Amino acid sequence: MEVHTLGKEKGSLFALVLALIVLGLGSLYLTWRSIAHQREIVEDHMVMTGSSILRGVENNLSRFRRSLRMNPKAAPLFPTMAEELFTELSHSEDIEFIALLGPDGKPVITSTEEKAKPYIELPPSVVNELEPGRAWHVMAQFGKRAVLISGLMAGPVLTAFTHGEDPRSMRGMGMEEDGHGMRHGMGRSLRGRGRDDQPPLPPVFLVVGLNAEKHLAQFRQYRRAAIYQTGYVFLAAVVLWSLAFAYLKRRGEGRKLVRMERFQNKLLDHMPDGLVTLSETGEILAANRSAKELLAPEGEDLPPEIIGVNWSSFTFGLKTGSAPYAWEQFDYQGRQLEILSLPLQASDEEAAPELGRHLVLIRDRTEIRSLEEDLNEAKRLAAIGSLAAGVAHEVRNPLSSLRGFAQLFATKLKGQAPLDQYAATMVQEADRLNRVVTDLLYLARPRQLDPVAVDLAELGESLHQLMRFDFENRQAEPVFEFDSGTVFADPDALRQVLLNLISNSLDAMAGCEECPKPGHVRLLSRRSQGGVWLTVADNGPGMDPEILGDVFKPFVTGKKTGTGLGLAIVKNIMRAHKGKVLIDSEPGKGAQVQLFFPDNDSEES
């Protein structure tokens, strides 16, 4: 059996999944930002290094210019001196190459060999727009290594020396000397070289190639470490999430198991049938509430604890056969019980013995048996009714004629003994036979009841006045005690029931010579759960035990002059009220008849 759950765990699982996604995305974003920031730091460091080297090379070239400017004939030596300087500086691990490039990107002076000379295609923005002395930086691939190329446009003096010209010949063109040599004031190209007809010198660019592998290797190491760290964190988060998920799932299964156990316990405890598990020795290992109530001794309000009690103490047989299964019926403590015993775990050798080896089911068939008896009695009454309906018409008409002639003979023969006595006996027997027919018709005819709240005090007073002479003639005293003031019943039917029972008590005490005189007939009432009990008791001779179980059947009587229909009528009336009638009698101790009238259901609701 599966119990539906409300899905309270879905919120926790969704929160865990969302937390994992947020943690993963946040970790990836922070890692990406950290790597990007570290890349910016490395690039800034390389740019600063390239700028420093670039400025250092420019300063060295400026010293060469100052040493050569006073000797015009030494100007052609500048390229050689610059190449030696570039070659010496390029021996450093941080410098890949140093070169002076023309506007087409071809090296004019370089530190590398002929076959390894760098060729850099300068963008138009550098050639046309960049001002002299302003550095620019770009990453490039030189061979198989990453290189940061830093460069700047050389001034006119350096440009003149690079092309082997004497810069002093250009002073008239607006060139002025500063602390580093000479600077121009004419624009980006040299428009004259002493004469106006000479073309301007092409610009020269000082370029330094910085080996970026060392810096990028540190960056890659940092990036790898950051990625690994993020992976470890993410993996740890996944592991923790998996553990949390497993914990929540286990907790959910545990809660589901607890709910299932509670549901099964409630289901078993509220079953109308009893359920008991027994060990191999017959010891009761488990029992639900219905089983405890069904096996409880009669009269106990609380069910006893039967766990640990041996099943044999209840005198019920225990069948261990496999099939066929058959219910057995037992009379136990005033109840009609049906019991079925089933073997458990017959094929499971590894099953826990504490779960039991036998299953016993117990059903209470007391009410069903009562309904079956009522049905059988209704069938008998129906048969009697059919007979009474046919006989009443055929008997009453001749009976009326016979009684009339008998009464006529009694009048005519009055004083002529013994004929007058014979005629009086004929009249009495005719009346008795008429009462039998009347009782048969009343017993068989369905009667529509109209129950109301009847005042018992008024009813008792009415019965006392009605039967006053009967009590006096039979030397009995009535005792009426009503703890409950009212009862819900049909007034006429209730009066008839009490008259029948009181008449039976008076007849029994009148025919008993050993009974104490005067006798007592007690009419009592008490309220119980769901209704009112009325009791009619006497201190007469009691009832014959042989007929005690059949007194409610028609024509069963212990009186010599009785018809045997009075108690059958009482039982029929009580059944119409949906009540109960019980008789308790012992020889020599009188008889007690208890009547239960249920309360009005509409008033209770």
Side-chain angles (χ1 to χ4, degrees), residues 38 45 81 139 165 227 234 377 387 406 408 493-494 509 535:
Q38 186 66 23
H45 180 69
M81 297 173 65
M139 290 295 296
E165 297 288 342
I227 293 175
F234 188 74
E377 187 172 356
L387 176 62
L408 176 63
L494 177 60
M509 289 187 295
T535 302

Side-chain angles (χ1 to χ4, degrees), residues 476-515:
E477 294 180 357
V479 180
F480 296 165
E481 297 178 358
F482 302 117
D483 293 340
S484 176
T486 59
V487 63
F488 188 74
D490 184 272
D492 294 337
L494 177 60
R495 182 186 299 272
Q496 183 176 0
V497 168
L498 295 179
L499 285 174
N500 284 342
L501 295 178
I502 294 175
S503 297
N504 289 342
S505 296
L506 293 176
D507 291 340
M509 289 187 295
C512 178
E513 297 180 357
E514 296 83 5
C515 295

Side-chain angles (χ1 to χ4, degrees), residues 34 59 82 164-165 301 315 337 366-367 383 533:
S34 178
N59 291 335
E165 297 288 342
D301 296 332
T315 68
L337 302 182
T366 304
E367 293 185 3
W533 285 93

Side-chain angles (χ1 to χ4, degrees), residues 434-499:
N434 185 59
R435 287 197 302 271
V436 171
V437 174
T438 301
D439 290 342
L440 277 174
L441 290 175
Y442 186 85
L443 180 65
R445 180 177 65 248
R447 180 174 179 178
Q448 186 68 31
L449 299 180
D450 186 17
V452 295
V454 178
D455 190 333
L456 292 178
E458 294 182 1
L459 178 62
E461 182 65 24
S462 175
L463 292 175
H464 186 273
Q465 294 295 332
L466 182 63
M467 305 188 70
R468 180 179 57 184
F469 297 105
D470 294 319
F471 284 113
E472 293 176 355
N473 294 334
R474 301 186 184 184
Q475 298 181 1
E477 294 180 357
V479 180
F480 296 165
E481 297 178 358
F482 302 117
D483 293 340
S484 176
T486 59
V487 63
F488 188 74
D490 184 272
D492 294 337
L494 177 60
R495 182 186 299 272
Q496 183 176 0
V497 168
L498 295 179
L499 285 174

Side-chain angles (χ1 to χ4, degrees), residues 456-457 479-487 522-528 531-536 595 597:
L456 292 178
V479 180
F480 296 165
E481 297 178 358
F482 302 117
D483 293 340
S484 176
T486 59
V487 63
R522 302 172 63 87
L523 178 59
L524 312 175
S525 71
R526 63 181 176 87
R527 170 159 291 280
S528 179
V532 176
W533 285 93
L534 293 180
T535 302
V536 178
L595 309 172
F597 291 89

Side-chain angles (χ1 to χ4, degrees), residues 280 322 325 342-352 356-358:
E280 294 182 351
S322 58
Y325 301 127
L342 304 173
L344 289 179
Q345 306 169 356
S347 60
D348 192 356
E349 298 180 356
E350 298 181 357
R357 294 296 183 182
H358 297 280

